[in-house]
Amino acid sequence: MSDSVSINAESAVSGETGSNVALSSAGVPLAIVPAYKHLQQQRKFQGPISELPELPSHRFQYSVWHDLRSGSLKGTELKAPRVREGPAEKGRAFYLLKDEDNQNIHHSLHGKQRVQHRTTLEDWNAATSASLCYQELHHQYQKDNFYRILGNLKNVEQLYLVDNSITTLASYSFPKCTVLNLNKNFISSFKKLPSIPKITCLTMEDNDVNSFRGLSSLSTLEQLYLRGNPISFVVNYRPKVFKMLPHLQVLDGVSKLEDDDVFVDEEDIPDQEPSRCVIA
């Protein structure tokens, strides 16, 4: 499969929906019918499901927007694309599916031409803002295409990558990025961040950052959010961060205070008894 960002084209095709239609949270009709029925083994259904009609839109259930024969939608126009892989039957039917007028649904490009067509329509090089959150990257196909997309975001200025189980982006560069949201990932060090020379706002809440190493390289930062990281619980956390980042104005949603220039002598902090958990 060479498909990357999967957008359900079913909602763009008109057809009789009747009462056998569910509504998504966005109010988009979602047909409850099996796709590529002619390629699947005949199944014996019991109950009302066997009476469901085959809607005209069933052919588009697994279609990706850049697979369609006619279409001008660009990847940069998508608000929150998802990286997904279609089932095996889609690959077998790709060049065979017809619409009601017996015209091919998908384009006829093969090999490198098909990949080039995908790249042109995705147009990630032109994206100035990209949201690729909550991708649920469980399969290698998804991971490969997710990181392929990241590698093409050379002009992105605002990038949102929340909750993607990311451990490192050290090999990537976002030279124009000013806002980066990496909340709810597994990044353990500032050294595992991408090259972001123009960054002004970095959000890394609920990661695994446990040291200040590499923080000083983010000298352009004006806002930084690190709540939920082990580093946010160390003594003199705020004074250390503000000392390393001369342009920082806001840390964890709180503007710089007078006390943020004052370091507490760690020897003056009384030892605390370890907490105990008592199970009755």
Side-chain angles (χ1 to χ4, degrees):
M1 297 291 295
S2 61
D3 306 332
S4 56
V5 183
S6 176
I7 301 298
N8 193 319
E10 190 173 12
S11 59
V13 182
S14 61
E16 299 178 4
T17 56
S19 60
N20 297 312
V21 168
L23 290 179
S24 70
S25 59
V28 179
L30 302 175
I32 321 173
V33 294
Y36 304 104
K37 190 174 181 180
H38 62 290
L39 294 177
Q40 300 172 345
Q41 293 182 351
Q42 186 173 5
R43 301 177 181 176
K44 295 181 180 180
F45 294 104
Q46 295 181 353
I49 193 170
S50 62
E51 301 174 2
L52 289 174
E54 186 177 89
L55 302 182
S57 58
H58 82 282
R59 307 176 185 89
F60 296 87
Q61 182 167 353
Y62 299 114
S63 292
V64 183
W65 92 92
H66 51 64
D67 286 343
L68 302 179
R69 180 168 50 86
S70 61
S72 59
L73 182 67
K74 298 280 188 178
T76 50
E77 299 177 73
L78 305 176
K79 292 184 177 180
R82 303 293 296 276
V83 179
R84 291 293 181 268
E85 180 179 16
E89 56 264 27
K90 179 202 168 176
R92 294 194 297 269
F94 185 86
Y95 298 107
L96 303 177
L97 290 174
K98 308 277 187 182
D99 59 20
E100 293 91 336
D101 299 323
N102 201 35
Q103 299 293 318
N104 288 333
I105 289 176
H106 301 124
H107 59 66
S108 59
L109 301 176
H110 292 73
K112 292 183 178 180
Q113 288 184 327
R114 182 177 176 183
V115 173
Q116 182 59 44
H117 177 72
R118 178 198 66 188
T119 302
T120 300
L121 285 186
E122 285 184 346
D123 200 26
W124 296 120
N125 284 315
T128 57
S129 179
S131 177
L132 295 163
C133 304
Y134 311 108
Q135 292 295 321
E136 299 178 350
L137 303 174
H138 300 308
H139 302 287
Q140 192 60 45
Y141 168 89
Q142 295 170 269
K143 295 177 182 177
D144 291 344
N145 280 280
F146 174 75
Y147 289 109
R148 176 185 62 80
I149 292 170
L150 292 187
N152 289 325
L153 295 173
K154 298 303 182 183
N155 291 297
V156 71
E157 298 174 4
Q158 299 181 17
L159 181 57
Y160 304 90
L161 301 173
V162 177
D163 199 4
N164 285 321
S165 301
I166 296 172
T167 58
T168 181
L169 291 173
S171 62
Y172 293 86
S173 176
F174 306 118
K176 297 184 180 181
C177 185
T178 59
V179 177
L180 177 59
N181 190 328
L182 289 167
N183 284 353
K184 297 183 179 179
N185 283 290
F186 300 122
I187 297 174
S188 61
S189 170
F190 293 113
K191 290 187 175 182
K192 294 186 177 181
L193 291 175
S195 174
I196 38 179
K198 294 187 177 181
I199 192 70
T200 59
C201 180
L202 175 61
T203 304
M204 291 183 64
E205 295 183 346
D206 298 319
N207 274 267
D208 298 324
V209 179
N210 54 21
S211 78
F212 294 97
R213 289 190 297 273
L215 179 59
S216 59
S217 64
L218 304 172
S219 58
T220 57
L221 274 177
E222 298 175 2
Q223 298 184 53
L224 178 62
Y225 298 84
L226 294 173
R227 285 176 294 208
N229 285 273
I231 195 177
S232 66
F233 298 101
V234 305
V235 178
N236 291 319
Y237 159 64
R238 289 182 65 88
K240 288 180 179 178
V241 172
F242 278 106
K243 184 177 180 180
M244 299 178 76
L245 300 173
H247 300 292
L248 191 66
Q249 301 172 10
V250 177
L251 177 59
D252 295 336
V254 180
S255 298
K256 186 177 181 180
L257 307 172
E258 292 183 3
D259 292 344
D260 290 330
D261 291 325
V262 179
F263 282 78
V264 177
D265 191 341
E266 298 183 20
E267 295 182 357
D268 294 337
I269 300 176
D271 294 333
Q272 297 181 353
E273 294 184 4
S275 58
R276 298 177 180 178
C277 179
V278 179
I279 301 177

